Amino acid sequence: DQEHGWWEPVPPSVNEAPHASWWHYQGPATAFTANPAAEICACFQAYPETVPSSLLDVVTTQSLRHLTGLPDTMEMHDMLCYLHLADEANKVVQDTIVGKLQRGVREVVDFDTEMYSGYCAKPIWLASSPESHLADVIMDGVETNLEYEICNQSADGSWEPFWTWDTFPEDWKQARMEWQGHLTVKTLKALKDYGRWPI
């Protein structure tokens, strides 16, 4: 929606294919959501030559306006989208985003390792490397999280998804393998960036 600068999380065609229930298309979007709009804005910021400057301006303005209205203790996925936008945007936009995220991240991130076997805001998701905008604020959690990942690596060297689909169980088997690959690369990269790999 170019007038408002937002996107629907998924298109109607998603319902025609196997998918997790939380990605089921429910109808047209009626408001701006950080996930996916701020994430798409980050991609536009990374490749500004691919989009009209007027659209980039609208989406960036909308993303910052939406951020202002969010509580500091925002939803984890919203924070991840804004982190990506901060990585790609100019310093003025970056400073606006990072200040807010730093204020709220300790309330958003999960420090309790007992939560890590389920779906939660793991510290290394919000600070995947020492250069992350949030690393210094949650470093105590990052260190604990890295230890947890080292101790919970599967025998084959991978890391398993800590969620499952509640629909399409046969298709989840393939999706699970793909998520397993994604999580393994992501975890190994975090361990390497923090100087914990090889172990």
Side-chain angles (χ1 to χ4, degrees):
D1 185 325
Q2 292 194 26
E3 179 183 355
H4 298 101
W6 68 48
W7 282 261
E8 294 182 334
V10 294
S13 58
V14 163
N15 293 353
E16 300 170 12
H19 60 282
S21 60
W22 50 88
W23 285 121
H24 197 76
Y25 181 79
Q26 302 288 350
T30 57
F32 183 101
T33 56
N35 184 14
E39 183 73 22
I40 292 171
C41 184
C43 296
F44 287 175
Q45 291 283 350
Y47 301 99
E49 69 280 1
T50 64
V51 295
S53 58
S54 57
L55 176 59
L56 180 57
D57 290 344
V58 167
V59 177
T60 303
T61 298
Q62 284 287 75
S63 295
L64 293 178
R65 183 178 298 140
H66 182 76
L67 178 66
T68 301
L70 290 176
D72 289 349
T73 55
M74 67 187 72
E75 196 272 335
M76 171 185 70
H77 296 93
D78 289 352
M79 186 167 279
L80 287 168
C81 292
Y82 277 110
L83 268 175
H84 188 195
L85 180 52
D87 286 338
E88 301 297 346
N90 63 49
K91 191 173 188 310
V92 174
V93 172
Q94 183 181 97
D95 288 349
T96 300
I97 295 171
V98 170
K100 186 173 183 79
L101 301 189
Q102 287 180 340
R103 288 194 301 273
V105 67
R106 290 193 68 85
E107 298 301 320
V108 173
V109 77
D110 283 292
F111 291 95
D112 182 358
T113 57
E114 291 187 7
M115 301 291 292
Y116 296 170
S117 61
Y119 200 88
C120 68
K122 289 185 175 184
I124 62 170
W125 279 32
L126 294 163
S128 59
S129 79
E131 288 72 42
S132 168
H133 300 294
L134 305 179
D136 290 344
V137 185
I138 58 171
M139 187 56 70
D140 52 337
V142 167
E143 294 293 348
T144 303
N145 191 176
L146 292 171
E147 288 293 335
Y148 175 89
E149 302 303 341
I150 290 168
C151 293
N152 286 276
Q153 186 180 26
S154 298
D156 65 1
S158 68
W159 279 267
E160 298 283 338
F162 35 90
W163 68 92
T164 185
W165 285 2
D166 53 1
T167 54
F168 303 101
E170 289 303 311
D171 296 284
W172 167 245
K173 292 177 184 177
Q174 178 64 36
R176 178 189 157 280
M177 288 179 60
E178 294 172 4
W179 274 112
Q180 184 182 34
H182 172 80
L183 291 171
T184 299
V185 170
K186 190 173 183 174
T187 305
L188 288 174
K189 185 176 186 306
L191 288 165
K192 181 177 183 294
D193 289 346
Y194 280 106
R196 303 296 301 276
W197 187 265
I199 51 176

